[in-house]
Amino acid sequence: MIQVTLITNDNKVITGPEDSNLLRLSIREKGGIPFKCGGGLCGTCRCLIEKGLENTDAVKDKERKHLTDDDLAAGYRMACQTFVNGDVSVSWIPLALRKPATPPVKPGESVVPGAEQPLGVPRE
């Protein structure tokens, strides 16, 4: 059995078999890691492996869509994509404290509804 210490959840310790999916284990044991889709699409389950990063499996392509190389090097993972084969300690930013995501403006799109072109782009 492995132990997962949920730092953000008052250091709650949950257990499960080796090669457990981190998010599924958290859901099963009421661990509190936030999630929405559970499939690597939304990035809500972003968390920091503070101890035991070596006890996680290889980074998946879905994680690379939400996490930079610097994030990954610092120990950030997506709980829904991470399998644990040894003890880890995990923290996360609670949803209530997260800043809302702001989608990037694509060329030719308007930031202001009804505007002819994006803000900050000079007219031709």
Side-chain angles (χ1 to χ4, degrees):
M1 296 292 272
I2 60 160
Q3 288 191 336
V4 177
T5 302
L6 303 161
I7 296 168
T8 307
N9 190 358
D10 294 326
N11 290 308
K12 179 177 182 172
V13 176
I14 59 177
T15 60
E18 284 189 21
D19 208 25
S20 289
N21 175 274
L22 183 56
L23 180 60
R24 287 188 211 134
L25 187 60
S26 173
I27 293 169
R28 188 177 320 120
E29 300 296 325
K30 296 179 176 49
I33 295 175
F35 70 97
K36 287 186 182 172
C37 76
L41 302 175
C42 71
T44 302
C45 63
R46 171 188 165 111
C47 59
L48 177 62
I49 309 296
E50 296 202 24
K51 287 185 183 175
L53 186 60
E54 68 277 6
N55 294 328
T56 61
D57 66 340
V59 174
K60 318 288 186 311
D61 288 340
K62 287 182 179 181
E63 291 179 279
R64 293 186 187 284
K65 292 180 181 179
H66 296 281
L67 302 170
T68 66
D69 288 340
D70 288 343
D71 290 337
L72 294 166
Y76 285 95
R77 296 291 303 265
M78 289 176 53
C80 72
Q81 299 297 304
T82 303
F83 287 81
V84 183
N85 53 40
D87 296 351
V88 296
S89 295
V90 184
S91 67
W92 60 90
I93 298 173
L95 288 179
L97 300 178
R98 294 185 188 186
K99 295 178 185 174
T102 53
V105 178
K106 296 177 186 170
E109 285 187 345
S110 177
V111 176
V112 179
E116 295 176 15
Q117 53 191 77
L119 297 176
V121 176
R123 294 186 185 266
E124 295 178 10

